[in-house]
Amino acid sequence: MLGAMYCFPDTPPVVRPPDGRARIRLLPVNQSWEATLKSWVDSGRHSEAIPWLVRFRRQPWAQALLGEIRLRDPETAHKAFAWFRRAAPHSAGDHPAVLGLARCYQLGIGVAANPVMARHWYLRAARCEVAEAFEPLGDIETPGVLRPINCVRAGMWYAIGCATLEDKDRVGELQNKTWELFWTRPDHDRGCAIGRCFDDGLKWMADNWND
């Protein structure tokens, strides 16, 4: 009930859970606990956010934020996996924990690198139109770890990334990656292959996205 009625002030004089007569100034609600704590994490106020997040540690959104805090610190990055693993199975594909768990599996953070599991979680995010999931999916395809290398399929993921990312610099990087997949081919064949990547990307989006 308290969480529904109040939110944290921007600069609380005492950072501890509001139990009983806690000496902390509470303000009428203007945003949720999740949004407030996320803004603290995004602004680097980790030491202030952690005690509150621990209070809500059974909630997937708090677990994801705790994982994000751990991931940002090289000394504690290995602990991020445990928090993401708790949150991701109970979260939608566009939840930050899903992308965080996929990244841990891809890069071997807190767990042995596992491209199969990384692809599983990235695909879950991709089906919810998470733009950051497509470049890693292409990267997983290119070494040929899961199956013989499939340049067209890797290029398809990069093409979808180009269509969904808003950062122009990153779009340029993905366009370069797509070109590099086929740089040894003659110009005509290269153009046809890249065109197929974009066609396959459009078909995948039509098959997997509702709108």
Side-chain angles (χ1 to χ4, degrees):
M1 177 64 72
L2 185 62
M5 297 172 59
Y6 297 96
C7 72
F8 305 115
D10 289 335
T11 55
V14 178
V15 180
R16 63 185 180 86
D19 53 338
R21 294 178 175 272
R23 290 175 295 173
I24 183 168
R25 180 169 54 90
L26 296 174
L27 300 180
V29 68
N30 55 20
Q31 64 184 105
S32 68
W33 298 87
E34 178 180 358
T36 302
L37 289 174
K38 185 178 186 306
S39 70
W40 287 12
V41 173
D42 291 342
S43 60
R45 297 166 62 182
H46 298 168
S47 60
E48 296 175 73
I50 287 174
W52 300 92
L53 290 171
V54 169
R55 174 179 171 82
F56 296 106
R57 62 187 178 276
R58 296 182 184 276
Q59 301 295 326
W61 61 264
Q63 294 165 357
L65 288 174
L66 284 165
E68 185 176 338
I69 290 173
R70 299 306 184 195
L71 195 61
R72 292 184 182 186
D73 184 348
E75 295 184 359
T76 62
H78 64 283
K79 298 181 180 180
F81 171 76
W83 287 113
F84 290 141
R85 184 175 59 176
R86 291 175 65 180
H90 309 289
S91 305
D94 58 353
H95 195 277
V98 173
L99 203 62
L101 184 60
R103 186 174 293 114
C104 287
Y105 276 121
Q106 181 189 12
L107 303 177
I109 301 173
V111 65
N114 187 329
V116 175
M117 291 300 297
R119 184 175 184 274
H120 168 80
W121 290 104
Y122 278 129
L123 275 174
R124 182 167 173 174
R127 292 190 178 104
C128 287
E129 305 182 36
V130 178
E132 290 78 8
F134 296 104
E135 181 177 3
L137 281 168
D139 292 343
I140 290 171
E141 295 281 354
T142 49
V145 175
L146 301 179
R147 58 177 67 83
I149 186 169
N150 188 333
C151 292
V152 172
R153 188 162 183 84
M156 179 195 78
W157 295 124
Y158 293 151
I160 300 174
C162 290
T164 53
L165 285 170
E166 298 181 358
D167 187 329
K168 293 183 179 179
D169 291 337
R170 290 192 61 193
V171 170
E173 292 173 3
L174 289 187
Q175 290 174 338
N176 289 336
K177 281 188 172 185
T178 306
W179 186 88
E180 289 170 0
L181 290 171
F182 308 102
W183 72 274
T184 59
R185 298 190 183 186
D187 290 345
H188 175 71
D189 289 347
R190 185 188 308 130
C192 291
I194 293 175
R196 182 182 169 189
C197 291
F198 280 86
D199 289 343
D200 287 353
L202 290 172
K203 183 177 184 303
W204 188 92
M205 288 189 287
D207 291 342
N208 289 274
W209 295 350
N210 294 328
D211 51 1

